[in-house]
């Protein structure tokens, strides 16, 4: 993410840069409804609406929190040794229509950053699909945004943030604040809530794969705003990032399908979209640091590694319902670390990776950032989740989970007739079903 300090602000915004960032902001916001469809198609029919609601309500909750305090704490002038921003912009105070951040209006920059915070919170919901109390989710999202997302965003992109200014680790568009933070937080929450009823015993098929594909398509479309918009300008860097994003999504898709074909004997629709998302996740931090060839390798690596990582939950016995850990945490780690291998000066303006004469220094910095952010997000989220669970309960009752959260929580159902099988769900290679019925794990 390209950031500009207050001292470098210009008197007037550039109209071209502003127009592009307006479009990019809309694209990133669209990613959350896309995620809702992506997740909604992968759950069982009895909890589709609940899954959609967890994403949509995140838009409202995070927006209120971000405008009240989140932006100031994330992107205000550093107030605590690189750990958190100040309180100068609480309630967006001091940010008027004439305020400029670099070449774009500050209010637009703040809105662009808001859309990142929104989808990061929504991503976490996939780890606890089918079993989280909606009321507890309403409490979790604003607290988590302020205590987890906002500090990591300041460390990575904020003025004086320790990862950006002191450590020197690179993250162009969100491997640390978005992907690793959401993945590590999802792991923490699924440990707090425990596995779904029937985990590793019942068949849990995606109820609507066309919905999953539609959601993935909207995510891929929005990802161009996510990554190329992070250049904060309509320029050559944005164009290069745009192409890197496309390339990595494609090789991620192909890598996942290659593994499926060799391992399982068939390439699946769910595997294709999962691979594309894995490639997009991995290129998010590295899109502004690697060449086109590097982007192809980053995407391919993520597609292959994540296709194996989604099965870890069965071996380690944590129920990450929609594979937030296997795709977003693992893919984010892959993409962030490979900056230290493939970074090129023509993209970064200075730092280079191991394969381009930069030695092990940059790789080491990337590793430190990954370890600290992952550990902080996991521990902080585990604490928040435990506090909510002990005070109001975070997990739905067994009866609600068995009947379905749509009917018991929202008094609605997605479909008038249960012809799709309300108790079905994604089947995995570890599920006790005949081989002919198996499909790839959820992503």
């Amino acid at each position: 993410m390209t950031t500009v300090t207050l001292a470098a602000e210009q008197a007037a915004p550039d109209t071209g840069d502003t127009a592009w960032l307006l479009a990019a902001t809309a694209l990133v916001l669209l990613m959350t409804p896309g995620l809702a469809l992506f997740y909604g198609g992968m759950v069982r029919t009895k909890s589709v609406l609940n899954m959609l609601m967890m994403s949509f309500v995140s838009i409202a909750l995070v927006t209120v929190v971000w405008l009240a305090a989140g932006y100031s704490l994330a992107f205000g002038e550093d107030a605590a040794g690189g750990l958190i921003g100040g309180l100068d912009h609480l309630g967006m105070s001091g940010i008027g229509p004439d305020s400029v951040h670099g070449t774009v209006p500050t209010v637009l920059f703040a809105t662009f950053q808001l859309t990142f915070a929104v989808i990061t919170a929504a991503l976490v919901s996939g780890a606890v699909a089918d079993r989280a109390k909606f009321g507890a989710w309403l409490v979790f999202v604003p607290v988590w945004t302020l205590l987890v997302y906002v500090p990591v965003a300041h460390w990575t992109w904020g003025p004086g943030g320790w990862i950006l200014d002191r450590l020197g680790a690179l993250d162009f568009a969100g491997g640390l604040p978005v992907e690793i933070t959401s993945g590590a937080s999802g792991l923490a929450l699924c440990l707090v809530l425990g596995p779904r009823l029937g985990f590793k015993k019942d068949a849990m098929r995606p109820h609507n794969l066309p919905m999953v594909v539609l959601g993935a398509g909207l995510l891929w479309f929005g990802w161009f705003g996510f990554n190329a918009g992070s250049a904060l300008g309509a320029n050559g860097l944005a164009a290069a990032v745009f192409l890197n994003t496309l390339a990595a999504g494609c090789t991620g898709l192909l890598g996942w399908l290659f593994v499926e074909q060799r391992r399982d004997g068939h390439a699946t629709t769910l595997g294709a979209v999962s691979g594309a998302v894995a490639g997009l996740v991995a290129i998010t931090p590295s899109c502004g640091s690697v060449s086109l060839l590097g982007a192809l390798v980053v995407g391919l690596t993520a597609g292959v590694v994540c296709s194996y990582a989604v099965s870890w939950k069965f071996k380690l016995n944590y129920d990450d319902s929609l594979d937030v850990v296997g795709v977003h945490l693992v893919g984010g780690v892959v993409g962030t670390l490979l900056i230290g291998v493939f970074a090129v000066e023509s993209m970064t303006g200075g730092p280079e990776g191991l394969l381009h004469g930069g030695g092990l220094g940059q790789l080491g910095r990337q590793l430190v950032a990954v370890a600290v952010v992952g550990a902080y997000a996991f521990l902080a989220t585990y604490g928040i989740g435990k506090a909510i669970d002990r005070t109001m309960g975070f997990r739905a009752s067994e009866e609600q989970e068995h009947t379905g959260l749509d009917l018991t929580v929202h008094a609605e159902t997605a479909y008038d007739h249960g012809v799709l099988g309300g108790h079905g769900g994604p089947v995995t290679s570890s599920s006790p079903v005949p081989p002919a019925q198996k499909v790839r794990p959820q992503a």
Side-chain angles (χ1 to χ4, degrees):
M1 177 72 61
T2 302
T3 57
V4 182
T5 63
L6 296 177
E9 290 183 350
Q10 298 180 1
D14 179 273
T15 55
D17 292 347
T18 300
W20 164 233
L21 197 60
L22 283 166
T25 301
L27 286 171
V28 181
L29 182 60
L30 181 64
M31 293 177 74
T32 300
L35 180 72
L37 293 173
F38 185 65
Y39 279 173
M42 285 195 286
V43 296
R44 292 167 284 183
T45 56
K46 60 183 181 178
S47 296
V48 181
L49 299 179
N50 178 258
M51 200 71 255
L52 298 177
M53 282 285 285
M54 291 177 81
S55 285
F56 270 86
V57 78
S58 297
I59 299 175
L61 293 170
V62 176
T63 295
V64 172
V65 169
W66 187 259
L67 298 179
Y71 174 74
S72 184
L73 293 171
F75 290 96
E77 286 297 325
D78 185 72
L83 298 178
I84 199 70
L87 303 177
D88 294 342
H89 301 301
L90 289 180
M92 301 299 287
S93 63
I95 300 177
D98 296 328
S99 178
V100 179
H101 182 101
T103 61
V104 299
T106 304
V107 68
L108 175 57
F109 174 76
T111 307
F112 180 65
Q113 294 295 341
L114 161 62
T115 61
F116 279 61
V118 166
I119 194 169
T120 307
L123 282 169
V124 179
S125 67
V128 292
D130 286 333
R131 63 196 187 280
K133 281 185 177 179
F134 188 67
W137 181 251
L138 297 179
V139 175
F140 172 80
V141 169
V143 174
W144 180 88
T145 299
L146 284 176
L147 297 185
V148 180
Y149 179 83
V150 164
V152 177
H154 182 75
W155 301 350
T156 308
W157 298 322
W162 72 270
I163 289 178
L164 175 67
D165 284 359
R166 303 182 186 187
L167 178 62
L170 302 177
D171 184 349
F172 191 79
L176 296 167
V178 178
E179 308 300 353
I180 293 175
T181 297
S182 64
S185 297
L187 177 60
L189 269 197
C190 69
L191 293 179
V192 170
L193 270 66
R196 290 166 291 178
L197 297 176
F199 176 59
K200 296 200 294 186
K201 297 178 181 179
D202 297 340
M204 297 180 179
R205 297 179 180 86
H207 91 280
N208 191 328
L209 281 173
M211 181 186 292
V212 176
V213 175
L214 175 60
L218 291 173
L219 282 170
W220 200 337
F221 179 60
W223 229 299
F224 292 115
F226 200 91
N227 287 357
S230 294
L232 302 183
N235 50 40
L237 178 60
V241 168
F242 193 107
L243 182 56
N244 280 351
T245 301
L246 175 61
C250 292
T251 53
L253 185 156
L254 295 174
W256 192 301
L257 291 185
F258 175 78
V259 171
E260 278 194 331
Q261 186 64 47
R262 285 183 58 87
R263 181 184 59 197
D264 308 323
H266 49 257
T268 67
T269 304
L270 184 58
V273 296
S274 299
V277 171
L280 293 166
V281 165
I283 201 61
T284 293
S286 55
C287 58
S289 302
V290 302
S291 65
L292 177 58
L293 178 59
L296 292 168
V297 176
V298 167
L300 181 64
T301 303
V304 171
V305 173
C306 292
S307 66
Y308 287 105
V310 295
S311 65
W312 294 348
K313 62 183 178 183
F314 301 109
K315 299 176 182 178
L316 301 177
N317 202 37
Y318 62 89
D319 185 9
D320 172 22
S321 303
L322 306 182
D323 292 322
V324 179
V325 178
V327 174
H328 293 276
L329 176 57
V330 175
V333 169
V334 168
T336 304
L337 291 181
L338 288 183
I339 292 173
V341 178
F342 295 109
V344 293
E345 185 180 4
S346 60
M347 293 291 287
T348 65
E352 291 183 307
L354 179 64
L355 294 184
H356 296 277
L360 293 172
Q362 192 62 46
L363 181 59
R365 288 187 281 273
Q366 300 300 125
L367 180 60
V368 170
V370 165
V372 173
V373 169
Y376 174 76
F378 176 84
L379 293 173
T381 304
Y382 191 85
I384 296 168
K386 275 293 187 183
I388 294 175
D389 192 44
R390 290 179 179 177
T391 54
M392 63 183 295
F394 211 137
R395 180 159 183 162
S397 69
E398 185 172 329
E399 180 181 357
Q400 288 177 320
E401 186 177 344
H402 179 76
T403 303
L405 300 180
D406 287 359
L407 188 60
T408 59
V409 176
H410 305 291
E412 299 173 302
T413 57
Y415 307 100
D416 289 337
H417 306 289
V419 295
L420 297 180
H423 300 290
V427 178
T428 68
S429 57
S430 298
S431 301
V433 296
Q437 298 179 28
K438 293 181 182 179
V439 298
R440 283 295 308 132
Q442 302 167 340

